[in-house]
Amino acid sequence: MAQVGKGKLNYRCPSCFMRDLDIDMFYDKDKDEFYCIRCQYRGDEKDVLEKNEMVRFRYKAMLKRFTNFDL
Ligand SMILES: [Zn+2]
């Protein structure tokens, strides 16, 4: 449904982002997937969005834990 134009949408690689690297992924038109040139991650739009949410959640949880630990 959502049209993904070439270079129109930039998703950051969730796998790299977990390692504190902000890497934009490329879009594989043939396979309808996004892929990362830095690591082996690849997945479709839905998967990328899901993983990005997971990373965000994990980061938040980590920060929370750190704050609690500091207190
Ligand atoms: Zn990556």
Side-chain angles (χ1 to χ4, degrees):
M1 227 185 286
Q3 282 203 348
V4 183
K6 209 179 177 186
K8 203 177 171 191
L9 286 171
N10 278 330
Y11 289 120
R12 116 188 342 141
C13 173
S15 178
C16 287
F17 190 54
M18 240 184 284
R19 276 168 259 162
D20 231 3
L21 295 166
D22 200 353
I23 310 289
D24 276 342
M25 290 191 294
F26 288 87
Y27 178 60
D28 187 336
K29 228 175 166 183
D30 296 331
K31 289 180 178 164
D32 192 28
E33 277 181 350
F34 291 88
Y35 64 95
C36 176
I37 49 161
R38 214 192 144 87
C39 68
Q40 295 298 309
Y41 176 79
R42 63 187 303 141
D44 60 16
E45 189 179 11
K46 191 169 161 272
D47 191 56
V48 173
L49 288 174
E50 272 173 14
K51 295 242 172 16
N52 265 322
E53 279 304 308
M54 243 165 62
V55 173
R56 229 175 280 169
F57 177 76
R58 207 175 274 184
Y59 256 84
K60 261 185 210 161
M62 253 164 64
L63 288 174
K64 233 181 203 173
R65 223 179 267 170
F66 263 113
T67 312
N68 286 340
F69 192 72
D70 276 347
L71 286 170

